[in-house]
Amino acid sequence: MNEMFLLKLGEIVLKGGNKFQFENRLKTNVARRMRPFGDFRVYIVQSTVYIEPENDACDLEGAWDACHFIFGVVSLCRCRPCEKNLDDIFEKAMAYLGDDLRMAKSFKVESKRSDKRFPLTSIGISQEIGGRIAEAVEEIEVDVHHPEYTVYVEVRDHAAYVHGPADPGAGGLPTGVGGRAMVLLSGGIDSPVAGYMIAKRGVELECVHFFSYPYTSELAKDKVLELARLMARYCGKMTVNVVGFTEIQEAIRDNCPEEFFTLIMRRFMMKIAERIALDHGCGCLVTGENLGQVASQTMEAMAVTAASVDLPIFQPLIGMDKEEIVTIARKIGTMETSILPYEDCCTVFTPRHPKTKPTKAQVDHACEKLDFDALIERALADTEMIRVRYHG
């Protein structure tokens, strides 16, 4: 029997009568992620996803790497299936894990027996296999409290499985169980992290990006598309709606008081994002706003911005400090791209002294010369839809 993968479910196991819906979605997601790497059999038994290669042509290394980025999986391991008898379990453990055991100074065996028909208890399996390994590998000692290496034996319904320590999974909930969201994606550090965090709760993502050529360059747009591609490693393929925003920003510059520039720009962004979200079946907007980080992210400013739309606005980073956000950006691989020196439209016509505690009435008055509806319609007409996916 060939090497295979076991993916352990996370909080899905806590779900009640609709648990099967979460499992079915996860199974579908896993099968789709495995497709580029060959023919794999994917099934779920006892809160574990089994991934078996159907033939030798499968790219096990590529598939194994992809498994680390599937939401809904809390841990994963490569394992060797074996017959449910002690002789075969020991033989496969030595053949599969022997090199690692010989490099370690101490070890223990940890067993789980979900098939209660197996004659030995979990402790009995560990003692028997551990004793055989200790005899076979003379230079290693048994240490059940602080072992350098742990051999895992799982006796399940279909077979027994031996493996070494598991890797951590992506956690969260399977993509697609939590609806769809529209992420306002800039070229900065925060918004990709916000998208990742909401996607981790099982939400499918779509993005909207505001592009102000020639004030922002094609390189700036390419940077944002690369950020979306990196997010797709976790979220799956997605659409980025690139909205032409130049006319709106010039209209704000020419007709509005400078201290309100950013607030009015954010109002336009929210209205346009809401229109696209509703057209594309998204139930909320997601932003990378972080309370107090910049002038447009005070409590008063965010309240004014939120008042311009009816869809709920989710702000996963709202109470985090910058170091926490940067840590996640590094973890998901977006940090190096986010800090590339290509500015986005948020830096165009930045006010010298922005209004930090505005009221809705003040902002309404500041933009009364603008024809919101006409500007929004022209921006929507100047929107490019770009599909992105992660290619490794």
Side-chain angles (χ1 to χ4, degrees), residues 87-98:
D87 290 341
D88 201 48
I89 291 172
F90 168 67
E91 179 184 328
K92 292 296 189 338
M94 290 304 301
Y96 189 55
L97 305 173

Side-chain angles (χ1 to χ4, degrees), residues 206-240:
E206 189 165 330
C207 299
V208 58
H209 174 67
F210 297 92
F211 182 55
S212 293
Y213 185 82
Y215 301 106
T216 55
S217 67
E218 287 291 334
L219 289 173
K221 183 170 79 170
D222 292 342
K223 171 185 171 180
V224 169
L225 295 176
E226 174 65 9
L227 288 171
R229 189 186 72 84
L230 293 169
M231 292 166 62
R233 189 177 200 183
Y234 290 91
C235 311
K237 61 184 178 181
M238 68 177 85
T239 298
V240 180

Side-chain angles (χ1 to χ4, degrees), residues 186-198:
S186 72
I189 297 171
D190 298 342
S191 56
V193 174
Y196 159 82
M197 291 185 67
I198 206 69

Side-chain angles (χ1 to χ4, degrees), residues 7-10 26 30 49 67 70-76 168-172:
L7 279 55
K8 304 300 178 69
L9 277 57
L26 178 58
V30 172
V49 182
C67 287
I70 300 174
F71 287 132
V73 175
V74 69
S75 67
L76 56 154

Side-chain angles (χ1 to χ4, degrees), residues 123-167:
I123 294 174
I125 296 169
S126 296
Q127 290 173 337
E128 180 66 29
I129 300 300
R132 294 189 186 191
I133 291 174
E135 290 181 4
V137 186
E138 295 180 356
E139 59 270 26
I140 197 170
E141 296 181 354
V142 175
D143 184 346
V144 297
H145 299 295
H146 304 288
E148 191 172 311
Y149 190 81
T150 301
V151 174
Y152 294 88
V153 177
E154 301 187 38
V155 180
R156 293 172 167 263
D157 286 349
H158 299 301
Y161 305 87
V162 294
H163 61 86
D167 287 358

Side-chain angles (χ1 to χ4, degrees), residues 267-279:
R267 177 177 283 192
F268 271 106
M269 287 179 171
M270 290 295 182
K271 286 180 174 292
I272 292 169
E274 182 181 51
R275 282 281 299 275
I276 299 174
L278 292 172
D279 288 344

Side-chain angles (χ1 to χ4, degrees), residues 217-334:
S217 67
E218 287 291 334
L219 289 173
K221 183 170 79 170
D222 292 342
K223 171 185 171 180
V224 169
L225 295 176
E226 174 65 9
L227 288 171
R229 189 186 72 84
L230 293 169
M231 292 166 62
R233 189 177 200 183
Y234 290 91
C235 311
K237 61 184 178 181
M238 68 177 85
T239 298
V240 180
N241 300 275
V242 181
V243 178
F245 206 55
T246 306
E247 182 187 6
I248 288 176
Q249 289 198 283
E250 290 178 339
I252 295 171
R253 176 198 62 190
D254 296 340
N255 294 282
C256 304
E258 181 183 343
E259 62 182 331
F260 292 99
F261 280 1
T262 302
L263 291 164
I264 298 170
M265 178 189 71
R266 294 289 295 171
R267 177 177 283 192
F268 271 106
M269 287 179 171
M270 290 295 182
K271 286 180 174 292
I272 292 169
E274 182 181 51
R275 282 281 299 275
I276 299 174
L278 292 172
D279 288 344
H280 296 190
C282 298
C284 72
L285 305 179
V286 177
T287 72
E289 290 170 305
N290 174 247
L291 186 62
Q293 183 170 240
V294 295
S296 63
Q297 294 175 12
T298 63
M299 192 177 297
E300 294 84 356
M302 286 191 288
V304 168
T305 301
S308 61
V309 295
D310 294 322
L311 278 179
I313 302 171
F314 291 173
Q315 300 157 325
L317 314 185
I318 195 68
M320 299 175 68
D321 62 41
K322 196 65 177 184
E323 190 56 40
E324 291 173 313
I325 298 169
V326 166
T327 297
I328 298 173
R330 293 191 188 281
K331 170 189 170 183
I332 65 175
T334 57

